[in-house]
Amino acid sequence: MPKFSQVYSEFRKNIGPDLGKLENNRIGRNEFVANELILDNLSILNIGGGGKRHLQTALKRCGKSNVSVFEIDITGDCDLVLNLDKVNKIDFEDDKFDVVCAFDVLEHLEQFHLINEEIFRLSRKE
């Protein structure tokens, strides 16, 4: 598993100073992550994926079909419908997932600090 500094370096190298390519483009952000940052054979929790399975679709499109994605959202096509502002804990054991993603969701939450703590709790730390 790459360290955060390696992931961030790769992100900056591929996007460069023009982060605008990813702004206001949920599909583009998910495709970037699928192509550049996600390795094979991972388990991913995607929190607030938009209810359309963008990350799972992008992973399949780039040939990473052996990555398992569990999606949580408030609505739409997801594995667990959950209002993140109404929970005190996401019901999974510690270190359950290799990667936890939360694209386009934290800025919408009143209790984003709690959900951020849940992201750290649920992701494996290597």
Side-chain angles (χ1 to χ4, degrees):
M1 179 73 58
K3 301 280 187 216
F4 176 78
S5 60
Q6 293 169 307
V7 170
Y8 185 71
S9 175
E10 188 68 19
F11 174 80
R12 295 301 300 177
K13 181 178 80 177
N14 286 285
I15 295 303
D18 183 17
L19 293 176
K21 289 194 282 185
L22 298 182
E23 290 178 12
N24 300 318
N25 186 341
R26 182 186 294 261
I27 294 170
R29 284 187 289 277
N30 281 274
E31 287 180 355
F32 170 78
V33 168
N35 283 309
E36 303 296 335
L37 302 181
I38 301 296
L39 305 173
D40 287 329
N41 299 312
L42 293 179
S43 61
I44 299 173
L45 174 60
N46 191 15
I47 299 175
K52 295 186 180 174
R53 299 195 184 268
H54 296 298
L55 182 57
Q56 192 169 10
T57 300
L59 287 163
K60 286 181 183 174
R61 192 174 7 257
C62 70
K64 296 177 183 174
S65 58
N66 58 350
V67 175
S68 68
V69 179
F70 189 95
E71 292 224 4
I72 295 175
D73 210 310
I74 195 166
T75 188
D77 181 16
C78 59
D79 298 299
L80 176 62
V81 174
L82 186 63
N83 183 338
L84 295 169
D85 274 328
K86 305 268 186 212
V87 299
N88 293 316
K89 182 178 180 182
I90 299 174
D91 198 21
F92 290 109
E93 64 269 12
D94 294 358
D95 305 321
K96 168 77 174 168
F97 299 94
D98 294 310
V99 176
V100 179
C101 302
F103 310 122
D104 306 307
V105 67
L106 294 177
E107 68 273 19
H108 299 288
L109 300 175
E110 290 294 322
Q111 59 177 9
F112 65 91
H113 294 292
L114 180 138
I115 299 304
N116 204 36
E117 289 297 321
E118 284 296 279
I119 288 169
F120 289 117
R121 182 184 68 79
L122 296 171
S123 61
R124 292 194 182 112
K125 296 128 193 106
E126 293 187 28

